[in-house]
Amino acid sequence: HLESVVNLLVSQDQNDYKTWHTRYGLLLWLSLLVLLPFDLRSLDSNFGQILSKQKDGKLKDLEERLSQRLVKIGQRYLSDTGTTREAAAFFLAKLFTRRDLQDSGYLRSFCVWAKNKLEALKTDNDPKSVFFTGGVLLALAQILKLVPRKSLKLALPVITSAVIQNSTWLKSRSGILRKLATKVTQRAALAILPVKLATWRYRRGRRILLENLKEKEEKQRKEMSAISNVKEIKEKMSEEKKEVPEWEQYDEKYVDFDEEVIEDAIEILLVGLSDRETIVRWSAAKGIGRITSRLPKCHGDDVVMAVLELISPSEPYTSWHGACLAIAEMGRRGLILPNRLPLVLPKTLQALDYDQRQGSNSVGANVRDSACYVAWAFARAYAPEVFKPFVMMLAQGLISTACYDREVNVRRAGAAAYQEHVGRQGTFPHGIEVNTTADYFSLANKQRSFVEISTKIGKFSEYRASLIDHLVLLKSRHWDKNVRELTARSLQKFSKITPEYLAEIVLPTLAKRAKEAFDVEERHGAILSVAKIILGINEYEDDASTSTSSNTKVYIHEDSKGIHAALSLLPTFHKSNHLMGKGGILIREALSELIRSLSLSKAFFSSKDSKAPDFVDLAVDMLLDNLRSSAFELQQLAALAITPLSENYQGHKRISEDLQAYLVSILSRDALAQVRRGAALALGSLPKSLLVKNLSNLVLSLTMAGNDVGEKDPETRREAINALTSICQEVVEPTSANNASPSSLNIRIAPILLSPISPFRPKRLIGHTIFNALIKALSDYAIDRRGDVGSWVREAAIRGLDTVVPILSNTNQILLKSPVADGSKKTAVLVWTSKMGLKLTAALIKQMGEKIARIRKVAGQVYAHLIGTTIDTKENYLITNIPCREKLLDVIQRANEEQKQFESKIIDNLPKTLGKEKKSNSETKTTPAEMKLIKANWARAHTVFPALVTLLETDKSNVEESTRVRQAMMSGLVLSAGSRTKSLSEAAVGSLTNWVTSSSRAEGLAEDFIWLFNNYSGERRVTKNLFRALGDLLSKEAFELLKIEKKAQLESMGMRICTLVGREMKNSSDVNLLLGGVRVFLGILAFGGDAAEAAMRRCLDALEHKYPRVRNVAAEELYESVLLLEEQYEYLGEEKYEQILETLSETSWDAPIREVIESVDKLLEIFEFPSPEREHLKAEDKKEKPDAKTTAPSYLDLVKEMGF
């Protein structure tokens, strides 16, 4: 088939890119056919005819003809831009392995052609020339790989002169060309060098561990059995000690090769080690290793030294990476002799820590990864006795990399190299324990690696100091903020393991660096590490004080060198230039952490210490300044630091007299929102001793700040709500046994919340004010460019209710109902009433029905906790005074059942989705006991909404409360029903539709919508969703039962809805709202009677609306409705009915309004409606028309005209 394949390839169109796979397959097929062990002359069908025409009987012409065709086919496809080029290169290499073509000089001729082509392509500006060049180089590389060395003698000088002696290809912009040139260079050099590997290489022996151990045991057994006495054994051992290693016995002999060409090749490869592309560096590294393994000892050692020179601070990261790859390749081959390890290992450790910042990122991850490859290669290359002096050095470096590197692949590479040494060398200390701790999966999480894995390994004394030093010297000054924070947390953990070293040595070192460092990152890392170390030592001392040991040394005290060094940082940075600008925020954050740590240490609490006032003054000034910052994270850290500072130094004047008053004043009066937000954060962090001094004023200020009427910044409102919650948590007291039942001994109460908020309003308690503020916050629906920012406030209020309501209920139940000294009952104002319980229930149910899943989830969880939690087995509920509790509990039960059904369906369908065989029922279905444990997923709409609609049923025993709950539920659910999210809208509308199973329910649902229209009139946020929800319900015929049984009531409701919808649409320019109203009118057409007539009148008004989009949509959907309600319009007659459809379908409703009015008038006449006045058109007629030459329509006019 050779000739057929050749003819088919010749006939192929190389420019037809759709058939590239055909050419690719034919070339691969041809590369197999040319290996047939027959002369090419015998494979030509025209051989006999051509032979008879030869006068001299020679077959040269025939041979040239067939061979040249094959070579030309390969040359032709070397210029292809796709993978066909690779197949052509492979085909040519296979072709030139034939002996008949080698003897005929075709190989050398092709190499000459390739050389000339490469020279010509250098000056070719055609973009496709780079593909042709790559194809030629790839063909040469394949030839050098597959053609026998003996056959390359004549062609090799041509290749070396084209590539090695002409190294311009290494300057090419294409990384692929540089890689191919590097590959051709190394293979040409290998073809020149002897085949035999150098005998001076270090050879460890077999690499299979089991065979190594067996051979070693067998050798020792034979030697010991051959020696009969102790003297001979000692003599034998002394001879072994005097034995010279094989690499030192090597006697260099002259090896015949072209040294100049080899030097040029090695120089090219050394340059390739610094290439900017990884593929070039990797190819050069492998070439260095292969060539060095064929060189004499002196030359090989020179190559090793040349590679080591690339690992230098003055070299770029690419040189470091290439050098590490080359060292690893030479180490694998035993080319780095043991006497060079003292020089190579320190370079490797430097590469393990290499990290250079470039802009906002860094380079060096690939360098560290390649350094781990070097360590891995050394584990396989050297015997344990040879590598023993370097064990600790490398083990500590690999563990530091495995635990503390920023990149997960480098951490895993370090652990893999360590594991290889443990298995191959067996000399790493605690190797098995460390391997099981720092495995592949545990190192995947950076935080866990820094904080947990490292401290577990740090318990071994061999690694502890190196890990701490690595953190202090390198990672604490890392460019990545996250790494510096994790470094500080890791040092905090080490403070509990070796507190003395960190307190006496590390703390002064870091404090000194923080003062002297130039880089912001270095100062930030040093201060943050100091803060965390102090915090860790303080935790260590607290744990030790609670233990039975009495000999625990105290490291944080007035005379501690490290503490004084840390304390000196505050006056150093106070009001300095280091706190300015973007970098200043980092320093402020670290100083806030430092103040918090020093405050928790209680080292300066004693009034005898003269430094305490200075520390407090500086700390208060810095924290208050940080609270005024625009960086929210900095404000949070400052608020966290205020808590321990105000607790431990509450006797200081700056704290006891000034702090709360100052914060309240800036919360109420400062013009900057960020300052008010910081004040709210700080007020929520104050201790009880400061809160109770002027609690009513504080609560009033926070209440005003949490209201969207008085405060426009959503973050400030959110933090004010959080502060009110924190105040309630802070002022609680444990229940005493004198006035409480045994079941309530652990319940928290807050008697101070019973105090009046003002002397002029004795019945308005502080607890009432806080509760009302939280309820008011649930009405925050503010929106800005960030979206629904009011949801932040609502979420904080819901979580606050979960904390505040139990405290109010318990206080009301225990304190106010407990007997006083004379046995009577207290008659004070109740802090928790049934009216408040109704407010709570209605507010939570409304949030459970809204469209944000996060809010639904939080509201549902709080609802289940507050409504359904009991404090004992006698059904004494946690919260009292909850109306309609049984009905509310049914919501929780129904939601749990919906969730169980959903999860059961998932479990049943799980084997099908995985494509496995269906399991037995016992394997796929959960047991009843397991199903009882399933709780509702309150974020899932299809779980929550069917449970909520059960509240639509009116409780006849509590009509008022039931109606209030029902209205609250509809207020939230209508937002989801009118949502643009399809799944959410379907869940809400479907739940309402499924609930309407009787005419009374349908009538109640219609009344609810009328109430919503009246209650939320003018609120576009609600009315748009209300229109969409009602339109969807009407399209699903949710009120069909009412039409059958109570037609008169349905028509009356339809009239009222038309009036309310028309009122909302009046003078509105919101196209979405207008379209939603039109769809409501179209749905009411099915009601019939006066309601349908009023709806049709509104639809015809929409047909002459000023926005073309409204007219178009109204006409299209009215056409569909008239078709569906054909029986309803039979009274008009067939002719008029056809006129309606014709007018609606054939009128161009996006034409100018004056052209549309004629069609509208025609429809009005058919339905016998009076023609409207159209005052707006008359007003336009009276206006003077602007001059077209001076006034052109604007883009805004076009947008308004199109209705967008």
Side-chain angles (χ1 to χ4, degrees):
H1 299 287
L2 177 60
E3 190 176 26
S4 301
V5 174
V6 170
N7 294 333
L8 186 57
L9 269 173
V10 171
S11 64
Q12 287 288 311
D13 182 8
Q14 191 172 353
N15 296 323
D16 187 5
Y17 299 109
K18 294 183 179 180
T19 59
W20 68 268
H21 50 277
T22 303
R23 298 190 294 274
Y24 183 81
L26 290 173
L27 284 169
L28 291 181
W29 189 8
L30 197 58
S31 65
L32 297 175
L33 292 176
V34 296
L35 297 180
L36 294 173
F38 305 106
D39 197 305
L40 287 178
R41 292 173 297 182
S42 63
L43 301 176
D44 194 344
S45 60
N46 298 324
F47 174 71
Q49 299 177 7
I50 298 177
L51 181 62
S52 61
K53 294 179 181 179
Q54 297 293 330
K55 296 180 180 180
D56 53 0
K58 294 182 180 180
L59 302 177
K60 183 176 180 180
D61 293 340
L62 175 63
E63 184 180 84
E64 286 181 353
R65 178 191 174 199
L66 186 57
S67 302
Q68 286 178 351
R69 287 184 69 192
L70 292 172
V71 173
K72 287 181 179 179
I73 287 174
Q75 291 174 342
R76 172 189 174 189
Y77 285 105
L78 286 179
S79 62
D80 199 276
T81 58
T83 53
T84 310
R85 180 179 65 254
E86 300 174 7
F90 181 72
F91 157 68
L92 286 172
K94 287 291 186 179
L95 178 65
F96 290 128
T97 58
R98 294 184 60 91
R99 185 62 179 271
D100 50 357
L101 266 72
Q102 296 168 5
D103 295 341
S104 301
Y106 280 100
L107 176 58
R108 189 178 186 281
S109 300
F110 175 80
C111 293
V112 172
W113 171 85
K115 177 183 177 181
N116 297 333
K117 199 66 180 176
L118 290 175
E119 292 291 337
L121 289 172
K122 288 181 183 179
T123 58
D124 193 350
N125 295 325
D126 187 2
K128 293 186 178 181
S129 62
V130 65
F131 298 104
F132 204 169
T133 304
V136 173
L137 291 174
L138 185 59
L140 293 177
Q142 292 287 356
I143 288 171
L144 290 171
K145 179 180 180 180
L146 299 177
V147 177
R149 293 167 57 90
K150 294 181 181 179
S151 305
L152 290 172
K153 288 183 179 180
L154 296 176
L156 202 55
V158 180
I159 297 176
T160 55
S161 63
V163 181
I164 297 179
Q165 296 175 352
N166 185 5
S167 58
T168 55
W169 297 111
L170 294 176
K171 300 177 182 179
S172 173
R173 291 181 296 177
S174 173
I176 299 294
L177 294 185
R178 297 198 302 275
K179 175 200 171 185
L180 292 173
T182 303
K183 191 180 291 292
V184 172
T185 298
Q186 62 164 294
R187 290 181 178 176
L190 289 173
I192 295 173
L193 290 170
V195 179
K196 186 177 180 181
L197 298 176
T199 57
W200 56 269
R201 296 177 301 118
Y202 172 79
R203 283 170 287 180
R204 178 181 177 181
R206 292 180 179 270
R207 295 297 190 270
I208 302 176
L209 293 177
L210 186 60
E211 293 187 8
N212 270 340
L213 295 174
K214 288 182 179 179
E215 288 183 0
K216 187 175 181 181
E217 293 176 359
E218 185 67 20
K219 184 178 180 181
Q220 289 178 353
R221 187 181 62 78
K222 290 180 180 180
E223 289 179 354
M224 297 304 292
S225 62
I227 302 173
S228 58
N229 53 56
V230 178
K231 183 177 180 181
E232 290 177 350
I233 294 175
K234 291 182 179 180
E235 291 177 356
K236 182 69 176 176
M237 294 176 68
S238 62
E239 289 177 2
E240 288 181 355
K241 291 181 180 179
K242 296 178 182 179
E243 186 176 330
V244 180
E246 183 179 359
W247 60 83
E248 295 185 10
Q249 294 178 355
Y250 181 72
D251 184 17
E252 290 187 1
K253 297 181 180 180
Y254 178 74
V255 182
D256 186 15
F257 60 85
D258 192 341
E259 294 189 6
E260 183 178 354
V261 174
I262 297 301
E263 287 179 3
D264 292 341
I266 293 175
E267 183 180 357
I268 290 173
L269 295 178
L270 289 174
V271 173
L273 291 179
S274 302
D275 194 89
R276 62 179 179 271
E277 298 288 345
T278 302
I279 54 175
V280 180
R281 299 195 295 270
W282 179 233
S283 181
K286 290 187 290 185
I288 288 286
R290 291 165 181 164
I291 292 174
T292 308
S293 63
R294 309 286 181 87
L295 294 175
K297 181 181 179 181
C298 59
H299 293 74
D301 195 59
D302 291 341
V303 174
V304 173
M305 296 305 297
V307 172
L308 289 177
E309 289 177 359
L310 295 177
I311 303 181
S312 171
S314 60
E315 295 290 339
Y317 78 97
T318 54
S319 299
W320 284 66
H321 182 234
C324 287
L325 292 176
I327 291 172
E329 289 296 318
M330 290 188 291
R332 288 179 57 209
R333 293 171 170 82
L335 303 175
I336 298 179
L337 300 179
N339 59 354
R340 288 296 184 192
L341 286 178
L343 183 61
V344 175
L345 262 298
K347 297 280 189 179
T348 304
L349 294 178
Q350 291 180 29
L352 283 174
D353 298 332
Y354 185 87
D355 194 8
Q356 292 292 327
R357 183 168 185 180
Q358 287 187 356
S360 58
N361 294 313
S362 72
V363 294
N366 55 353
V367 176
R368 300 192 299 275
D369 185 70
S370 61
C372 295
Y373 176 42
V374 172
W376 179 87
F378 285 174
R380 303 169 65 90
Y382 299 98
E385 58 272 13
V386 173
F387 209 75
K388 188 175 181 180
F390 315 102
V391 164
M392 282 307 304
M393 180 195 313
L394 188 59
Q396 293 172 351
L398 289 175
I399 285 300
S400 298
T401 300
C403 293
Y404 295 137
D405 199 273
R406 181 176 180 267
E407 310 299 332
V408 61
N409 63 305
V410 180
R411 293 197 299 272
R412 287 172 167 171
Y418 185 93
Q419 182 180 0
E420 192 72 17
H421 275 276
V422 172
R424 301 280 179 178
Q425 301 288 332
T427 53
F428 276 19
H430 308 286
I432 301 298
E433 294 89 342
V434 173
N435 262 338
T436 55
T437 302
D439 59 10
Y440 179 88
F441 297 102
S442 63
L443 295 175
N445 186 279
K446 181 166 60 176
Q447 178 177 332
R448 186 181 179 192
S449 300
F450 269 79
V451 181
E452 297 181 17
I453 305 299
S454 63
T455 51
K456 289 180 181 179
I457 298 174
K459 294 179 181 179
F460 303 117
S461 58
E462 292 86 351
Y463 301 106
R464 186 182 306 141
S466 63
L467 289 172
I468 295 174
D469 292 343
H470 182 86
L471 291 172
V472 173
L473 297 176
L474 295 175
K475 291 299 183 285
S476 64
R477 61 181 75 186
H478 197 271
W479 62 272
D480 188 355
K481 180 186 177 183
N482 187 31
V483 172
R484 297 196 300 272
E485 291 174 347
L486 291 174
T487 297
R489 291 178 58 186
S490 183
L491 288 173
Q492 179 183 350
K493 291 284 187 178
F494 275 110
S495 301
K496 302 177 183 180
I497 301 175
T498 171
E500 184 175 1
Y501 178 70
L502 288 165
E504 298 180 1
I505 298 177
V506 176
L507 270 183
T509 303
L510 289 172
K512 182 180 179 182
R513 187 200 298 173
K515 297 176 183 178
E516 299 176 355
F518 177 76
D519 293 333
V520 173
E521 292 81 5
E522 193 169 350
R523 288 197 300 269
H524 172 258
I527 299 173
L528 190 60
S529 298
V530 168
K532 292 297 184 180
I533 289 173
I534 295 174
L535 188 61
I537 295 175
N538 182 59
E539 292 174 354
Y540 165 78
E541 293 180 352
D542 290 343
D543 295 341
S545 62
T546 58
S547 63
T548 56
S549 177
S550 59
N551 299 323
T552 304
K553 184 178 179 181
V554 178
Y555 298 99
I556 300 181
H557 52 82
E558 288 82 353
D559 299 327
S560 172
K561 180 181 177 182
I563 295 299
H564 280 296
L567 187 61
S568 66
L569 294 175
L570 295 179
T572 301
F573 288 97
H574 182 57
K575 295 183 180 180
S576 66
N577 293 331
H578 297 305
L579 303 181
M580 304 297 178
K582 184 178 180 181
I585 294 178
L586 293 176
I587 305 301
R588 289 173 182 271
E589 291 178 358
L591 289 173
S592 297
E593 290 278 8
L594 178 60
I595 292 171
R596 177 171 175 265
S597 300
L598 290 172
S599 301
L600 288 171
S601 68
K602 303 178 184 179
F604 307 98
F605 188 78
S606 174
S607 59
K608 297 179 181 179
D609 192 348
S610 59
K611 296 181 180 180
D614 294 333
F615 166 70
V616 175
D617 289 336
L618 289 173
V620 171
D621 290 341
M622 283 188 175
L623 294 179
L624 292 178
D625 195 23
N626 293 345
L627 288 173
R628 303 179 70 89
S629 173
S630 59
F632 182 64
E633 186 176 354
L634 175 58
Q635 290 179 324
Q636 287 181 311
L637 292 174
L640 287 175
I642 281 181
T643 302
L645 181 68
S646 55
E647 285 180 353
N648 297 329
Y649 295 92
Q650 53 185 302
H652 195 278
K653 181 181 177 182
R654 289 290 304 276
I655 293 175
S656 62
E657 299 179 7
D658 302 338
L659 185 58
Q660 186 197 21
Y662 176 75
L663 292 174
V664 170
S665 66
I666 62 176
L667 176 65
S668 306
R669 302 171 187 171
D670 201 289
L672 295 177
Q674 65 193 40
V675 179
R676 298 194 299 273
R677 179 174 66 239
L681 269 169
L683 287 171
S685 304
L686 294 179
K688 182 178 179 180
S689 58
L690 296 182
L691 292 174
V692 298
K693 289 184 178 180
N694 194 3
L695 183 60
S696 60
N697 186 32
L698 173 60
V699 170
L700 285 174
S701 299
L702 289 172
T703 301
M704 294 180 62
N707 192 337
D708 58 347
V709 177
E711 176 58 58
K712 300 303 180 184
D713 181 53
E715 288 94 341
T716 303
R717 298 198 298 272
R718 179 189 61 195
E719 297 310 325
I721 295 299
N722 288 332
L724 289 173
T725 305
S726 300
I727 288 173
C728 284
Q729 287 181 308
E730 195 66 29
V731 299
V732 295
E733 298 176 357
T735 308
S736 62
N738 295 330
N739 58 356
S741 62
S743 63
S744 61
L745 289 178
N746 296 324
I747 294 178
R748 300 179 303 167
I749 61 175
I752 196 171
L753 298 181
L754 299 172
S755 303
I757 193 67
S758 170
F760 303 103
R761 302 186 67 181
K763 294 186 179 182
R764 183 63 176 265
L765 308 183
I766 293 177
H768 295 161
T769 305
I770 295 176
F771 174 79
N772 291 333
L774 297 179
I775 295 296
K776 177 67 176 176
L778 292 178
S779 302
D780 192 331
Y781 289 91
I783 297 176
D784 63 9
R785 58 182 177 82
R786 295 169 291 183
D788 186 3
V789 293
S791 64
W792 307 342
V793 185
R794 299 200 302 276
E795 183 178 1
I798 294 170
R799 297 185 186 278
L801 287 171
D802 195 27
T803 302
V804 173
V805 170
I807 296 175
L808 297 179
S809 179
N810 295 333
T811 303
N812 183 78
Q813 188 175 5
I814 295 175
L815 283 182
L816 298 182
K817 294 185 179 181
S818 60
V820 292
D822 58 358
S824 62
K825 297 285 184 178
K826 296 181 181 179
T827 58
V829 179
L830 293 178
V831 75
W832 178 251
T833 63
S834 58
K835 186 177 180 180
M836 296 170 66
L838 182 59
K839 282 185 177 181
L840 169 69
T841 305
L844 289 178
I845 287 175
K846 180 182 177 183
Q847 298 302 317
M848 290 165 62
E850 293 209 4
K851 56 186 178 180
I852 300 179
R854 184 183 79 254
I855 301 298
R856 289 200 305 272
K857 182 178 180 180
V858 177
Q861 291 172 346
V862 173
Y863 175 88
H865 174 245
L866 296 181
I867 304 300
T869 304
T870 58
I871 56 178
D872 53 28
T873 58
K874 298 180 181 180
E875 294 189 0
N876 291 325
Y877 288 96
L878 176 65
I879 309 300
T880 59
N881 294 332
I882 297 295
C884 310
R885 187 186 293 273
E886 294 299 327
K887 191 173 182 179
L888 299 177
L889 291 175
D890 289 341
V891 174
I892 302 175
Q893 183 179 358
R894 175 68 184 275
N896 291 337
E897 291 174 357
E898 291 286 341
Q899 187 67 24
K900 290 175 186 177
Q901 294 176 7
F902 171 70
E903 295 188 11
S904 297
K905 291 180 182 178
I906 292 179
I907 294 173
D908 292 339
N909 296 329
L910 187 60
K912 299 178 183 178
T913 58
L914 295 177
K916 298 180 180 178
E917 295 181 0
K918 192 170 183 179
K919 301 181 180 179
S920 62
N921 293 334
S922 60
E923 294 178 353
T924 58
K925 293 185 178 180
T926 55
T927 62
E930 292 173 340
M931 294 298 293
K932 288 182 179 179
L933 299 176
I934 297 176
K935 297 298 179 71
N937 178 12
W938 297 100
R940 183 174 177 269
H942 288 82
T943 296
V944 181
F945 294 163
L948 285 179
V949 295
T950 59
L951 297 173
L952 290 173
E953 198 71 47
T954 303
D955 188 356
K956 296 181 179 179
S957 60
N958 297 295
V959 177
E960 183 179 353
E961 292 84 355
S962 179
T963 303
R964 177 74 179 276
V965 171
R966 175 188 181 120
Q967 292 172 348
M969 188 277 297
M970 285 298 296
S971 299
L973 192 61
V974 72
L975 298 179
S976 297
S979 172
R980 291 183 177 274
T981 304
K982 184 177 180 181
S983 59
L984 184 64
S985 176
E986 288 178 350
V989 174
S991 299
L992 290 172
T993 305
N994 294 334
W995 181 81
V996 180
T997 57
S998 64
S999 59
S1000 59
R1001 288 187 173 185
E1003 184 178 3
L1005 185 60
E1007 290 291 345
D1008 288 333
F1009 272 95
I1010 292 173
W1011 177 85
L1012 289 171
F1013 276 117
N1014 290 321
N1015 194 57
Y1016 292 100
S1017 177
E1019 294 189 28
R1020 299 296 188 219
R1021 175 186 63 84
V1022 179
T1023 51
K1024 282 197 296 186
N1025 292 283
L1026 189 57
F1027 284 178
R1028 282 195 290 266
L1030 184 55
D1032 290 341
L1033 286 171
L1034 290 171
S1035 65
K1036 293 181 180 295
E1037 299 181 350
F1039 303 99
E1040 188 66 21
L1041 292 174
L1042 196 60
K1043 181 179 179 181
I1044 298 173
E1045 301 178 9
K1046 298 180 180 180
K1047 187 173 179 59
Q1049 289 89 333
L1050 180 63
E1051 292 183 10
S1052 175
M1053 291 179 191
M1055 292 287 292
R1056 293 161 64 189
I1057 292 174
C1058 283
T1059 303
L1060 294 171
V1061 173
R1063 184 183 65 186
E1064 296 297 325
M1065 294 174 62
K1066 187 177 181 180
N1067 299 327
S1068 175
S1069 59
D1070 189 335
V1071 176
N1072 292 321
L1073 184 140
L1074 295 171
L1075 294 178
V1078 170
R1079 292 188 178 102
V1080 172
F1081 295 142
L1082 293 171
I1084 296 177
L1085 289 177
F1087 287 8
D1090 295 338
E1093 184 178 348
M1096 179 58 75
R1097 186 70 178 85
R1098 299 281 185 176
C1099 292
L1100 296 181
D1101 289 341
L1103 292 178
E1104 55 179 302
H1105 197 275
K1106 61 179 179 179
Y1107 291 154
R1109 187 182 173 195
V1110 176
R1111 299 199 296 268
N1112 268 324
V1113 174
E1116 291 175 4
E1117 299 195 5
L1118 181 58
Y1119 179 85
E1120 296 175 1
S1121 298
V1122 171
L1123 280 177
L1124 292 173
L1125 301 173
E1126 181 179 358
E1127 295 180 358
Q1128 188 171 318
Y1129 297 102
E1130 288 180 351
Y1131 72 94
L1132 294 175
E1134 184 178 353
E1135 182 180 355
K1136 290 185 177 181
Y1137 181 77
E1138 293 297 333
Q1139 288 179 1
I1140 294 172
L1141 296 179
E1142 182 181 356
T1143 303
L1144 290 173
S1145 60
E1146 296 184 0
T1147 302
S1148 178
W1149 295 103
D1150 54 357
I1153 187 65
R1154 296 182 180 277
E1155 298 179 11
V1156 172
I1157 287 177
E1158 182 179 351
S1159 299
V1160 176
D1161 288 338
K1162 185 176 180 181
L1163 293 173
L1164 290 172
E1165 183 180 353
I1166 294 174
F1167 286 103
E1168 299 180 355
F1169 292 143
S1171 180
E1173 293 294 332
R1174 299 190 179 105
E1175 296 292 340
H1176 61 286
L1177 295 179
K1178 294 180 181 179
E1180 290 180 3
D1181 292 337
K1182 294 179 180 179
K1183 293 181 181 179
E1184 295 183 2
K1185 295 184 179 180
D1187 189 0
K1189 297 181 179 180
T1190 59
T1191 305
S1194 65
Y1195 181 72
L1196 182 59
D1197 295 332
L1198 176 63
V1199 172
K1200 289 183 177 180
E1201 176 65 23
M1202 297 307 297
F1204 292 100

